[in-house]
Amino acid sequence: MNQNGFRHILSLSGGKDSAALAIYLRDRIPDMEYVFHDTGKELPETYEYLGRLEAILGKEIHKSTVENGDFIGFDQLLKVYGGMLPSSHRRWCTRMMKLRPFERFIGSGKCYNYVGLRADEDRTGYISSKPNIIPIYPFKEDGLVRGDIVNILEESGLGMPPYTEWGRTRSGCFFCFYQQKIEWVRLKETYPDLFEQAKAYEKPGKKATTTFYWCGNEPLAELEKPERMEQIKREHELVKARKKANSANKSLMNILGGVDDYESNEGCLICQL
């Protein structure tokens, strides 16, 4: 806590931007506190990545979802919501497993909340509207873009999150509804057990005839059919080819900053930065 009574808080998602921000600010703000909102449904690589980051920072990362010795994760909350899976229209997962634990961790005291939005991103996000939590955007203020973030991670020895090696673009739960369909295919191929767990959640909610799916109206049981998976792969390659052909229309910032053409800006900031 600094002299004006403010705490310094950096919320980690397990993604590249928040990890790079933690490294970027490590020596600039020695009293920084780090917090990770564990849903209990993260990818194995996320926990391993955070463990390595913890060693680089030389500080413990607080796990905010454990309260009074009890773990409050996705399965517990799904029962409260009657089996209704979260979606882009009903993001109770973000509210209950990310935002609420974050605000509980901070309490009523004043704090600066450091957020890893980059200078090459044109988006805002729902983090917290509490007046005692003041957001700070160091990457935006200092003009850092994606290429800079990759350099920070590589130079520190941490590197990019391991799940990017098999094609996942975001941190967060392994069944995140913001995933692209190609990412579901890659999850099926890389972690068939986790895919099966995600599929098992797709069933009618309590006192309802509606069946909730992760991918809009397409059940994972349909998506995993070999012919459908091949179709998704073909369509993904066509999209990549079109974007590559249109690369001459990139903005100057994209060219200089090394922005990933296939990086989606959809998602919850507190989950995926």
Side-chain angles (χ1 to χ4, degrees), residues 8-13 17-23 25 32-36 61 102 112-116:
H8 298 277
I9 311 289
L10 197 159
S11 182
L12 296 160
S13 69
D17 294 316
S18 61
L21 184 61
I23 296 167
L25 298 176
M32 183 75 79
E33 299 175 62
Y34 306 98
V35 58
F36 171 64
I61 297 172
F102 174 65
Y112 294 119
N113 175 214
Y114 296 84
V115 183

Coordinates of all heavy atoms in Angstrom, one line a residue, residues 8-13 17-23 25 32-36 61 102 112-116:
H8 N -2.2 -1.7 -4.7 CA -1.9 -2.0 -6.1 C -2.3 -3.4 -6.4 O -1.7 -4.3 -5.8 CB -0.5 -1.7 -6.4 CG 0.0 -0.3 -6.2 ND1 -0.2 0.7 -7.1 CD2 0.6 0.3 -5.1 CE1 0.3 1.8 -6.6 NE2 0.7 1.6 -5.4
I9 N -3.3 -3.6 -7.3 CA -3.8 -5.0 -7.6 C -3.7 -5.3 -9.0 O -4.2 -4.5 -9.9 CB -5.3 -5.1 -7.1 CG1 -5.5 -4.6 -5.7 CG2 -5.7 -6.6 -7.3 CD1 -4.9 -5.4 -4.6
L10 N -3.2 -6.4 -9.4 CA -3.1 -6.9 -10.8 C -3.8 -8.3 -10.8 O -3.4 -9.2 -10.2 CB -1.7 -7.0 -11.3 CG -1.5 -7.0 -12.8 CD1 -0.1 -6.6 -13.2 CD2 -1.8 -8.4 -13.4
S11 N -4.9 -8.3 -11.5 CA -5.7 -9.6 -11.7 C -5.2 -10.4 -12.8 O -5.1 -9.9 -14.0 CB -7.2 -9.3 -11.8 OG -7.9 -10.5 -11.9
L12 N -4.7 -11.6 -12.6 CA -4.2 -12.5 -13.6 C -5.2 -13.5 -14.1 O -6.0 -14.0 -13.4 CB -3.0 -13.3 -13.0 CG -1.8 -12.4 -12.6 CD1 -0.9 -13.2 -11.6 CD2 -1.0 -12.0 -13.8
S13 N -5.2 -13.6 -15.5 CA -6.2 -14.6 -16.1 C -5.6 -15.9 -16.5 O -6.3 -16.8 -16.8 CB -6.8 -13.9 -17.3 OG -5.8 -13.8 -18.3
D17 N -1.4 -11.3 -21.8 CA -1.3 -9.9 -21.5 C -1.2 -9.5 -20.0 O -0.4 -8.7 -19.6 CB -2.6 -9.2 -22.1 CG -2.6 -9.2 -23.6 OD1 -1.5 -9.0 -24.2 OD2 -3.7 -9.5 -24.2
S18 N -2.0 -10.2 -19.2 CA -1.9 -9.9 -17.8 C -0.5 -10.5 -17.2 O 0.1 -9.9 -16.3 CB -3.0 -10.5 -17.0 OG -3.1 -12.0 -17.1
A19 N 0.0 -11.6 -17.8 CA 1.2 -12.1 -17.3 C 2.4 -11.2 -17.7 O 3.3 -10.9 -16.9 CB 1.5 -13.5 -18.0
A20 N 2.3 -10.6 -19.0 CA 3.3 -9.7 -19.4 C 3.3 -8.4 -18.6 O 4.3 -7.8 -18.2 CB 3.2 -9.4 -20.9
L21 N 2.1 -8.0 -18.2 CA 1.9 -6.8 -17.4 C 2.5 -6.9 -16.0 O 3.2 -6.0 -15.5 CB 0.5 -6.4 -17.3 CG 0.2 -5.0 -16.6 CD1 0.9 -3.9 -17.3 CD2 -1.3 -4.8 -16.5
A22 N 2.3 -8.1 -15.5 CA 2.9 -8.4 -14.1 C 4.4 -8.3 -14.2 O 5.0 -7.7 -13.3 CB 2.5 -9.8 -13.7
I23 N 5.0 -8.9 -15.2 CA 6.5 -8.8 -15.4 C 6.9 -7.4 -15.7 O 7.9 -6.9 -15.1 CB 6.9 -9.7 -16.5 CG1 6.6 -11.2 -16.2 CG2 8.4 -9.6 -16.8 CD1 6.7 -12.2 -17.3
L25 N 5.6 -4.6 -14.7 CA 5.5 -3.7 -13.5 C 6.2 -4.3 -12.3 O 6.2 -3.6 -11.2 CB 4.0 -3.5 -13.2 CG 3.2 -2.8 -14.3 CD1 1.7 -2.8 -13.9 CD2 3.7 -1.4 -14.6
M32 N 3.0 -4.6 -5.4 CA 1.9 -5.1 -6.2 C 1.4 -6.4 -5.6 O 2.2 -7.2 -5.1 CB 2.3 -5.3 -7.6 CG 1.2 -5.8 -8.6 SD 0.1 -4.4 -9.0 CE 1.1 -3.7 -10.3
E33 N 0.1 -6.5 -5.6 CA -0.6 -7.8 -5.2 C -1.1 -8.4 -6.4 O -1.7 -7.8 -7.3 CB -1.7 -7.5 -4.2 CG -1.2 -6.9 -2.9 CD -2.4 -6.5 -2.0 OE1 -3.1 -7.4 -1.6 OE2 -2.6 -5.3 -1.7
Y34 N -1.0 -9.8 -6.5 CA -1.4 -10.5 -7.7 C -2.6 -11.5 -7.2 O -2.5 -12.1 -6.2 CB -0.3 -11.3 -8.3 CG 0.9 -10.5 -8.6 CD1 2.0 -10.4 -7.7 CD2 1.0 -9.7 -9.8 CE1 3.1 -9.6 -8.0 CE2 2.1 -8.9 -10.1 CZ 3.1 -8.9 -9.2 OH 4.2 -8.1 -9.4
V35 N -3.6 -11.5 -8.1 CA -4.7 -12.4 -7.7 C -5.2 -13.1 -9.0 O -5.2 -12.6 -10.1 CB -5.9 -11.5 -7.1 CG1 -6.4 -10.4 -8.1 CG2 -7.1 -12.4 -6.7
F36 N -5.5 -14.4 -8.8 CA -6.1 -15.2 -9.8 C -7.4 -15.8 -9.4 O -7.5 -16.3 -8.3 CB -5.1 -16.4 -10.2 CG -5.7 -17.4 -11.1 CD1 -6.0 -17.0 -12.4 CD2 -5.9 -18.7 -10.7 CE1 -6.5 -18.0 -13.3 CE2 -6.4 -19.6 -11.6 CZ -6.7 -19.3 -12.9
I61 N 0.8 -15.7 -5.7 CA -0.4 -15.3 -6.4 C -1.6 -15.7 -5.6 O -1.9 -16.9 -5.4 CB -0.5 -15.8 -7.9 CG1 0.7 -15.3 -8.7 CG2 -1.9 -15.4 -8.5 CD1 0.8 -16.0 -10.1
F102 N -13.1 -10.9 -7.1 CA -12.2 -9.8 -7.2 C -12.6 -8.7 -6.3 O -11.7 -8.1 -5.5 CB -12.1 -9.4 -8.7 CG -11.3 -8.2 -8.9 CD1 -9.9 -8.2 -8.7 CD2 -11.9 -7.0 -9.3 CE1 -9.1 -7.1 -9.0 CE2 -11.1 -5.9 -9.6 CZ -9.7 -5.9 -9.4
Y112 N -5.7 0.7 -6.9 CA -5.4 0.8 -8.4 C -5.4 -0.6 -9.0 O -4.7 -1.5 -8.5 CB -4.0 1.5 -8.6 CG -4.0 2.9 -8.2 CD1 -3.0 3.3 -7.2 CD2 -4.8 3.9 -8.7 CE1 -2.9 4.6 -6.8 CE2 -4.7 5.2 -8.3 CZ -3.8 5.6 -7.3 OH -3.7 6.9 -6.9
N113 N -6.2 -0.7 -10.0 CA -6.4 -2.0 -10.6 C -5.7 -2.0 -12.0 O -6.1 -1.2 -12.9 CB -7.8 -2.4 -10.8 CG -8.1 -3.7 -11.6 OD1 -9.1 -3.8 -12.3 ND2 -7.2 -4.6 -11.4
Y114 N -4.6 -2.7 -12.1 CA -3.8 -2.6 -13.4 C -4.3 -3.6 -14.4 O -4.4 -4.8 -14.1 CB -2.3 -2.9 -13.0 CG -1.8 -1.8 -12.1 CD1 -1.9 -1.9 -10.8 CD2 -1.1 -0.7 -12.7 CE1 -1.5 -0.9 -9.9 CE2 -0.6 0.3 -11.9 CZ -0.8 0.2 -10.5 OH -0.3 1.2 -9.7
V115 N -4.6 -3.1 -15.6 CA -5.3 -3.9 -16.6 C -4.4 -4.0 -17.8 O -3.9 -3.0 -18.3 CB -6.7 -3.3 -17.0 CG1 -7.4 -4.1 -18.0 CG2 -7.5 -3.1 -15.7
G116 N -4.3 -5.2 -18.4 CA -3.4 -5.4 -19.5 C -3.9 -5.1 -20.9 O -3.5 -5.8 -21.9

